[in-house]
Amino acid sequence: DAMVIQNPRYQVTQFGKPVTLSCSQTLNHNVMYWYQQKSSQAPKLLFHYYDKDFNNEADTPDNFQSRRPNTSFCFLDIRSPGLGDTAMYLCATSSGGPLTDGYTFGSGTRLTVV
Amino acid sequence: GQNIDQPTEMTATEGAIVQINCTYQTSGFNGLFWYQQHAGEAPTFLSYNVLDGLEEKGRFSSFLSRSKGYSYLLLKELQMKDSASYLCAALDSNYQLIWGAGTKLIIKP
């Protein structure tokens, strides 16, 4: 089945130790998003790609970087994780066209910074 | 500023009907989504409304009033598996999703 896959599902990292989260999609969607979601809060958009065009949200910390080497893959790099970065990180895709099917989300990576 | 309001938590009984309300204020409007999110899992798409009126999909229906900045999600014949958070999200003029914090729905037998 076409889908959005995130790895790993769970990640524990030490304070200040760089970590990379990955997302892949078989939907051939143009747009890929990274969201951060803390407990009982709304997802917060960090950045998105429309094809190779990178769009950074104004309030996304510099500590967060992203790469999209090709249509299928997108990575989230956290250069020096802090305790406040403990959250669920959600990758989502959309076709960039009609919205009747919404965004497709991966299963998320639950990151814990210790 | 842009804002989505929905109740924090609701409780309902198995087999009953529940309506979850959402009001929105956005810079421009290109539609409203409802997502279901079980604890510790990713959101899953339920519905998308861009025109006024009611859209029905099985046990779930979603309503939109653009003039009032208001939407609701109606769940019928509630099942225990419907216990989840329900997220309302509006698409603004830049096609960015503005999310609500979600409504936690608790179903009791």
Side-chain angles (χ1 to χ4, degrees), chain A residues 13-78:
Chain A
T13 193
Q14 290 184 330
F15 181 93
K17 184 175 180 183
V19 65
T20 294
L21 311 182
S22 76
C23 177
S24 64
Q25 54 128 342
T26 59
L27 297 158
N28 205 33
H29 280 173
N30 293 326
V31 194
M32 294 187 78
Y33 306 83
W34 278 106
Y35 284 91
Q36 179 193 63
Q37 188 179 26
K38 297 187 178 180
S39 182
S40 301
Q41 295 184 22
K44 177 181 180 300
L45 182 64
L46 296 173
F47 17 62
H48 74 277
Y49 282 89
Y50 196 107
D51 291 327
K52 293 199 171 198
D53 291 336
F54 175 71
N55 296 272
N56 195 35
E57 293 303 297
D59 56 355
T60 298
D62 292 340
N63 196 27
F64 290 81
Q65 303 285 317
S66 183
R67 297 170 281 136
R68 189 179 186 187
N70 53 52
T71 301
S72 301
F73 285 88
C74 197
F75 299 95
L76 171 62
D77 302 306
I78 309 177

Side-chain angles (χ1 to χ4, degrees), chain B residues 13-93:
Chain B
T13 305
E14 190 178 14
I17 298 173
V18 71
Q19 177 174 311
I20 303 174
N21 296 324
C22 169
T23 57
Y24 63 89
Q25 289 178 304
T26 55
S27 303
F29 179 74
N30 282 299
L32 189 127
F33 292 90
W34 283 96
Y35 280 85
Q36 180 190 61
Q37 187 175 27
H38 285 99
E41 297 183 12
T44 54
F45 171 76
L46 291 178
S47 67
Y48 170 66
N49 294 66
V50 67
L51 300 176
D52 285 355
L54 187 69
E55 298 271 347
E56 297 187 70
K57 269 189 192 180
R59 296 189 298 114
F60 293 7
S61 303
S62 56
F63 171 83
L64 177 68
S65 168
R66 293 175 68 126
S67 62
K68 295 181 179 176
Y70 167 69
S71 174
Y72 67 72
L73 181 69
L74 191 72
L75 293 77
K76 302 177 187 174
E77 300 168 19
L78 286 170
Q79 301 175 11
M80 298 304 292
K81 68 179 182 180
D82 298 329
S83 291
S85 285
Y86 291 86
L87 297 159
C88 172
L91 207 59
D92 71 7
S93 58

